[in-house]
Amino acid sequence: MPLDRRIVCVGAGFSGAVIAREFAEAGFEVLVIDERGHAAGNCHTERDEATNIMVHRYGPHIFHTDNQEVWDLVNRYATFMPYVNRVKAVSGGNVYSLPINLHTINQFFGMQMNPAEAREFIRSKSRQDIDEPQTFEDQALKFVGDEIYKAFFYGYTRKQWGIEPKELPASILKRLPLRFTYDDNYFNHQFQGIPAEGYTHLVEGILDHSNIELRLGAKFEELDEAPLHVFYSGPIDRYFAHKLGRLGYRTLDFEEIRSDDDEGIGNAVLNYADTDVPWTRISDHKFFAPWSLDETKGSLQFREYSRACEPGDTPYYPVRLATDKELLGQYVKLAGETEGVTFVGRLGTYRYLDMDVTIGEALEAGRAALSAIKGGDLPQTFYESVL
Ligand code: UDP
């Protein structure tokens, strides 16, 4: 196939892999490049030789979704094992259950309320005068009241985002449920699990097609060809060489702790809500594979520290402050004027996306572009409004 019929996907994470597969199955030749030495982006997993533990190299990833099509897709390429995320939180010298549920509320206030009593009790604590909360802090005060906010959200959020929660958008807190039952499943979604052989194996499975070439260790900036179309899942500001400035991201540092103790911390994730503990959470990766606990030796834990992302660091969380959104608007405008490129994924659209949403959007973006190309049109350059 001549080069000008070739599709290039920049980034071998879920976005790039899913779009590559769609085009490959439609008969196009696809080149997928990634500057790292592995596929799967920040979902990358690898087995640690000494302990046989599957390590989530860029932090914990638990797959959860209500989207049947997305769930069917990932299950085509990997065997998913049942996994329910049950997070614990250390606050003020005690250990509690997350997300905030009946157990947390009763333990925290030293009571024995039933669901109806707890709902009424939290209503009496929460700030009913806040109508439409715009900030994280207002959302929390309206949601759970001051005491729970301070104990579980204030410190963690300050550490995670590096700014006062009253400067952050309410949407970040809306990710978390509040329950008046003893259900401590961290997610509300119908489908939840972790691929038995890890996420890299899953993404490699999506990319395993005779029309797809995966080129690792390759930078887009150094690519010397003119493809039919590019799907770019790198940071949108980097595509434009940061010429208008840098969008704000948080990056993470991981401190590895190897222990001979098979029981480790006793759970996959422990959050640390207090400001005097510098890390946000500890994850003990053997517990992300409860089906294979007797096949591993010792435990491998990671203390997670969040800080501002500097040039050269790996971007994790888009901060999306008002200044970032304004800058994003200018990059989106540039993107709209750039032919032959569609911006996709967490970094390409500068949004806090879960894996299932990323896959769902990639399916849609790929479909829309395929039908445009087949109809002789240029694909849209931006997937959707992201501002
Ligand atoms: N959060 C918090 N305390 C916790 C857990 C979460 O304050 O113990 C806040 C924090 O601001 C975080 C947001 O809720 O960024 C979303 O949490 P989630 O667990 O979804 O974060 P992720 O796993 O994506 O880092």
Side-chain angles (χ1 to χ4, degrees):
M1 189 174 280
L3 266 188
D4 66 354
R5 292 294 298 155
R6 195 144 103 141
I7 300 294
V8 170
C9 292
V10 181
F14 274 121
S15 296
V18 166
I19 292 170
R21 184 81 193 199
E22 282 184 299
F23 273 84
E25 286 179 356
F28 289 82
E29 226 180 78
V30 190
L31 170 66
V32 179
I33 60 167
D34 200 298
E35 63 183 352
R36 300 188 202 175
H38 59 76
N42 279 8
C43 308
H44 175 53
T45 46
E46 59 188 347
R47 209 172 275 288
D48 175 71
E49 267 188 34
T51 59
N52 201 34
I53 293 169
M54 186 66 83
V55 176
H56 296 213
R57 210 25 96 196
Y58 303 88
H61 282 80
I62 296 110
F63 203 93
H64 52 97
T65 191
D66 279 332
N67 185 327
Q68 183 78 53
E69 187 186 16
V70 168
W71 184 239
D72 290 345
L73 184 149
V74 292
N75 278 277
R76 262 204 303 284
Y77 300 105
T79 304
F80 267 73
M81 301 301 280
Y83 178 84
V84 176
N85 202 27
R86 302 191 195 280
V87 177
K88 306 294 170 205
V90 176
S91 172
N94 289 306
V95 182
Y96 298 93
S97 161
L98 282 185
I100 307 292
N101 62 68
L102 192 51
H103 201 173
T104 328
I105 298 165
N106 275 329
Q107 194 190 351
F108 185 74
F109 292 104
M111 297 174 71
Q112 302 172 41
M113 294 176 282
N114 67 25
E117 290 163 344
R119 186 175 285 106
E120 190 44 44
F121 180 77
I122 290 295
R123 186 174 297 134
S124 75
K125 298 257 173 205
S126 64
R127 287 274 304 279
Q128 296 301 316
D129 58 309
I130 302 173
D131 257 354
E132 281 181 20
Q134 299 299 314
T135 71
F136 185 102
E137 181 162 293
D138 279 356
Q139 176 71 26
L141 293 174
K142 184 179 168 73
F143 187 54
V144 288
D146 187 58
E147 289 139 293
I148 288 187
Y149 166 54
K150 293 265 168 57
F152 296 101
F153 300 120
Y154 175 79
Y156 188 97
T157 298
R158 253 209 67 79
K159 291 189 284 187
Q160 169 69 12
W161 296 95
I163 46 171
E164 289 296 320
K166 59 173 179 286
E167 311 286 340
L168 286 166
S171 56
I172 295 176
L173 186 60
K174 288 186 190 154
R175 293 171 56 82
L176 305 184
L178 163 66
R179 298 210 189 94
F180 295 101
T181 66
Y182 289 102
D183 178 4
D184 62 351
N185 184 346
Y186 201 69
F187 303 113
N188 275 332
H189 288 135
Q190 186 186 354
F191 308 113
Q192 189 173 170
I194 290 188
E197 292 307 319
Y199 290 97
T200 303
H201 180 260
L202 161 60
V203 174
E204 285 170 351
I206 300 174
L207 290 167
D208 183 17
H209 188 285
S210 53
N211 285 353
I212 299 177
E213 179 194 343
L214 171 62
R215 201 179 292 166
L216 296 172
K219 277 193 196 318
F220 177 58
E221 289 85 347
E222 290 159 14
L223 194 69
D224 185 22
E225 61 179 77
L228 175 64
H229 197 72
V230 172
F231 291 92
Y232 184 85
S233 69
I236 182 169
D237 52 345
R238 173 166 164 187
Y239 181 88
F240 295 106
H242 304 107
K243 67 179 176 191
L244 304 174
R246 283 178 180 271
L247 292 165
Y249 280 97
R250 301 295 284 175
T251 191
L252 299 175
D253 294 320
F254 295 98
E255 181 187 356
E256 183 183 294
I257 301 162
R258 280 176 191 266
S259 158
D260 292 336
D261 181 357
D262 279 333
E263 289 171 321
I265 61 169
N267 198 38
V269 184
L270 263 185
N271 284 4
Y272 285 79
D274 300 321
T275 37
D276 57 356
V277 177
W279 54 87
T280 51
R281 56 186 176 185
I282 301 180
S283 45
D284 194 337
H285 288 213
K286 69 186 303 171
F287 293 103
F288 290 120
W291 59 90
S292 66
L293 286 176
D294 56 0
E295 295 159 24
T296 59
K297 286 189 293 242
S299 101
L300 195 46
Q301 304 156 24
F302 295 88
R303 283 185 184 151
E304 201 170 310
Y305 301 80
S306 170
R307 63 178 170 80
C309 188
E310 305 287 345
D313 290 332
T314 304
Y316 283 77
Y317 297 88
V319 184
R320 289 180 68 87
L321 296 181
T323 46
D324 294 309
K325 284 205 201 164
E326 200 191 310
L327 186 56
L328 175 63
Q330 295 171 34
Y331 279 121
V332 168
K333 189 161 174 291
L334 276 184
E337 293 157 7
T338 308
E339 284 186 356
V341 188
T342 300
F343 293 85
V344 291
R346 175 179 57 98
L347 303 172
T349 66
Y350 191 63
R351 283 173 307 154
Y352 189 171
L353 297 182
D354 286 332
M355 293 181 277
D356 64 322
V357 179
T358 305
I359 293 172
E361 289 192 356
L363 279 171
E364 275 184 49
R367 261 180 217 141
L370 252 177
S371 74
I373 289 173
K374 282 183 181 160
D377 289 334
L378 282 176
Q380 62 193 126
T381 55
F382 216 81
Y383 165 58
E384 65 167 17
S385 168
V386 295
L387 297 173

